[in-house]
Amino acid sequence: CSSQLQRLTSLPAGRATLKSQTRLSSVASARLRSCIELERRIIRTPIRTANPELSQTLQVAAPRSETRAPAMTRRGLFVAVVAAAAQGARAFATPAISARPHASAARASSVALCAKAKKGKPKKKQPKKSGMAWAKDFEVMPFDSVSLRALATEACGAFEGRTGKPVHASLSGAGDLPKALYNAPCAVVVSSPGDDGSTIAYANAAACEAYNQTHSELIGSATDLAATVSGGYDSKYGKKIPSGVTMRDAKRWEIAKMAIVDGELTTTSSGAGYAFESWTLDDGRVGRPGGVVEDAPMDPGELEALIEAQGAMIRELKEEQGLGNKSPEVLDAVAELLRLKAMAEEG
């Protein structure tokens, strides 16, 4: 039995493929069973090992022999069979273990291929700017400048002190007032006095849109907007600015603060503030912050005529056609009349 197993398992484990070793394992198992069958008359008890798989292979019940063999012979055959079986088990277990690294390598290669497929095309790297180039392109926003933040806060405080309301409703309760003023949907400009005339000391994003300039171009430029306001406040102001648009119903106010000069309490003026929510374009249309352009408003006389005609239509629907107040025709006519009246009040 031992010589047969040694001949069957003589192929080196490293050179054997998994398929050939599996086939060899089945042949060796069959030969091993035949050897045990030949010795069944000698071995009187089943062979048991510590290995469950090997024990299952060798579990061939040996009935009691009628002829009793010597104890030494039984012990010698038992040792030979177990040694041969253990050698065959080691030979067949080695290829399976050696095949695992190949499987791991295959899995690793498949994972790498999937990773490459998901990665996609590499992004083009942006050229890095030098320190001087970055400094030239860097631009300080008005709400990041210490002096402009102070001027924005002062302008908002002066307006609220004179009117009791914020410059715009969106500024009510703002945590960062200078930043909120810069992004407000209302153009705000501050004109400050100078030796050579007035200059624009502050402008927010909506004012830059109305002037068609950036804040770095607009702030510090000369302007014909007065730096003082007669009476301190004006709620109806209109003026054409260099971009060709005209302020509509602008509010202007004087920005003044209390200061001690030469030991005396005096009022100093920082300039005049201008705030407007819309402007009139050259073609008569109305522009608003955010790129909004509306149709030109109607002439007051024409609008009044439309209101009278709409009222006459409503009377005709009720008196001549006998329609009630809840009829769809009357409701639509009343809604149009209310819209025209609202336009007249705004105009």
Side-chain angles (χ1 to χ4, degrees):
C1 179
S2 176
S3 62
Q4 291 184 15
L5 284 174
Q6 289 178 2
R7 181 174 56 83
L8 289 172
T9 59
S10 60
L11 186 63
R15 297 174 55 189
T17 61
L18 185 60
K19 185 176 181 180
S20 63
Q21 290 296 329
T22 304
R23 185 170 61 251
L24 186 59
S25 176
S26 62
V27 173
S29 178
R31 292 296 179 89
L32 181 60
R33 287 178 181 273
S34 64
C35 291
I36 295 175
E37 188 68 20
L38 293 175
E39 303 297 334
R40 60 184 301 183
R41 293 182 178 275
I42 301 174
I43 303 177
R44 291 186 291 178
T45 58
I47 299 174
R48 295 183 178 86
T49 64
N51 190 336
E53 296 181 359
L54 187 59
S55 177
Q56 184 178 3
T57 304
L58 300 178
Q59 285 297 333
V60 179
R64 292 181 177 271
S65 175
E66 296 180 359
T67 304
R68 190 174 180 86
M72 182 61 69
T73 305
R74 292 200 304 272
R75 187 180 301 110
L77 289 175
F78 177 81
V79 172
V81 171
V82 172
Q87 183 178 358
R90 286 195 298 270
F92 294 125
T94 306
I97 297 174
S98 63
R100 292 178 184 176
H102 299 287
S104 301
R107 287 195 297 270
S109 61
S110 62
V111 172
L113 290 175
C114 293
K116 289 182 179 179
K118 293 181 179 180
K119 188 175 182 181
K121 296 182 178 179
K123 296 182 179 179
K124 294 182 179 179
K125 293 184 178 180
Q126 298 293 337
K128 293 184 178 181
K129 295 182 179 180
S130 63
M132 292 299 297
W134 180 85
K136 289 180 181 179
D137 295 340
F138 181 76
E139 189 176 12
V140 179
M141 302 299 291
F143 52 81
D144 291 329
S145 172
V146 176
S147 59
L148 292 180
R149 284 180 65 88
L151 182 57
T153 304
E154 186 179 351
C156 291
F159 183 90
E160 191 167 357
R162 294 183 181 275
T163 63
K165 300 178 182 180
V167 177
H168 191 266
S170 62
L171 303 180
S172 180
D176 190 347
L177 185 58
K179 188 173 184 177
L181 179 63
Y182 181 81
N183 297 315
C186 175
V188 178
V189 177
V190 175
S191 176
S192 295
D195 297 337
D196 298 332
S198 301
T199 58
I200 294 180
Y202 177 84
N204 68 349
C208 294
E209 182 180 351
Y211 275 82
N212 196 23
Q213 290 180 309
T214 63
H215 68 269
S216 58
E217 296 172 344
L218 189 56
I219 296 176
S221 62
T223 181
D224 55 357
L225 296 176
T228 58
V229 179
S230 178
Y233 180 76
D234 185 7
S235 60
K236 294 287 184 179
Y237 181 77
K239 187 176 179 61
K240 193 170 185 178
I241 57 180
S243 60
V245 303
T246 304
M247 302 177 183
R248 296 181 72 246
D249 300 331
K251 301 176 179 63
R252 60 174 184 166
W253 67 101
E254 188 168 357
I255 303 172
K257 61 181 180 180
M258 305 296 292
I260 298 177
V261 180
D262 297 334
E264 296 181 359
L265 183 63
T266 59
T267 302
T268 59
S269 177
S270 300
Y274 295 79
F276 51 99
E277 298 183 12
S278 60
W279 49 87
T280 305
L281 305 177
D282 291 337
D283 56 3
R285 294 181 300 168
V286 177
R288 296 183 184 276
V292 178
V293 178
E294 301 173 352
D295 294 334
M298 294 184 180
D299 182 78
E302 182 183 356
L303 187 59
E304 188 66 27
L306 289 175
I307 292 175
E308 291 179 2
Q310 191 68 19
M313 181 186 296
I314 295 174
R315 288 191 298 271
E316 180 182 355
L317 292 174
K318 290 183 177 181
E319 296 174 0
E320 297 184 5
Q321 299 184 19
L323 299 177
N325 292 333
K326 294 185 178 180
S327 64
E329 292 82 356
V330 175
L331 291 175
D332 292 342
V334 171
E336 179 64 17
L337 179 62
L338 295 176
R339 187 184 72 83
L340 294 173
K341 288 184 177 181
M343 291 176 60
E345 293 176 359
E346 290 178 0

